[in-house]
Amino acid sequence: MRRYGGMNIEFKRLDKLYRSFEVSKVKARNETFKAIERTTKKAQANSKSIAPVDTGYMKAHINQLSTKRHGDVITGSYESEAYYGGYVEYGTYKMAAQPYIRPGTKAAEPFFYQELRRLLSV
């Protein structure tokens, strides 16, 4: 599978937020993993809902990738498998941009904080 356009979601420097909940670092990391995974799914759904449609292929092929953990950094990713997804997102000299990945991700950002607060408050 070749990646043509997508987004990685990373939230860094969450130590202050973790301390405010007074939870162990292990619990904080595990719950953050879940929150990133759910936020990525939400961002993917947002992007699908605003993706421009001609044939429907691009919209149908915006897929979530596996969430990864590298030490204290957790990354959620999703992508458009359509080879022209990046051209639609950023435009070309012949075509205006019709962003759908970046706005979908931005709209999901508040969800991450709500979800993390919910998971860490338990």
Side-chain angles (χ1 to χ4, degrees), residues 17-32:
L17 182 64
Y18 293 161
R19 283 192 300 271
S20 71
F21 285 99
E22 298 177 3
V23 297
S24 73
K25 192 170 183 176
V26 172
K27 178 179 168 104
R29 271 189 271 169
N30 291 338
E31 299 303 337
T32 301

Side-chain angles (χ1 to χ4, degrees), residues 67-81:
T67 303
K68 296 184 176 156
R69 184 183 319 205
H70 302 284
D72 283 345
V73 178
I74 301 168
T75 306
S77 303
Y78 69 107
E79 67 182 10
S80 170
E81 289 181 26

Side-chain angles (χ1 to χ4, degrees), residues 74-120:
I74 301 168
T75 306
S77 303
Y78 69 107
E79 67 182 10
S80 170
E81 289 181 26
Y83 74 90
Y84 51 86
Y87 301 127
V88 175
E89 178 75 17
Y90 294 103
T92 69
Y93 74 96
K94 291 184 176 183
M95 178 182 86
Q98 298 177 69
Y100 62 101
I101 295 284
R102 290 172 294 159
T105 302
K106 187 70 175 162
E109 188 176 336
F111 176 81
F112 169 74
Y113 293 107
Q114 292 168 357
E115 189 67 7
L116 192 58
R117 281 186 189 98
R118 185 184 70 77
L119 290 168
L120 292 176

Side-chain angles (χ1 to χ4, degrees), residues 12 18 23 33-34 44 52 55 65 72 94 96 100-101 121:
K12 297 180 181 179
Y18 293 161
V23 297
F33 186 90
K34 291 176 192 174
Q44 174 207 17
T55 65
L65 305 174
D72 283 345
K94 291 184 176 183
Y100 62 101
I101 295 284
S121 294

Side-chain angles (χ1 to χ4, degrees), residues 30-72:
N30 291 338
E31 299 303 337
T32 301
F33 186 90
K34 291 176 192 174
I36 288 280
E37 198 165 48
R38 292 173 186 164
T39 302
T40 305
K41 185 175 182 129
K42 178 112 176 123
Q44 174 207 17
N46 292 345
S47 292
K48 279 188 169 198
S49 73
I50 61 174
V53 177
D54 187 15
T55 65
Y57 180 84
M58 186 178 70
K59 184 174 188 168
H61 289 85
I62 299 172
N63 299 313
Q64 182 175 356
L65 305 174
S66 61
T67 303
K68 296 184 176 156
R69 184 183 319 205
H70 302 284
D72 283 345

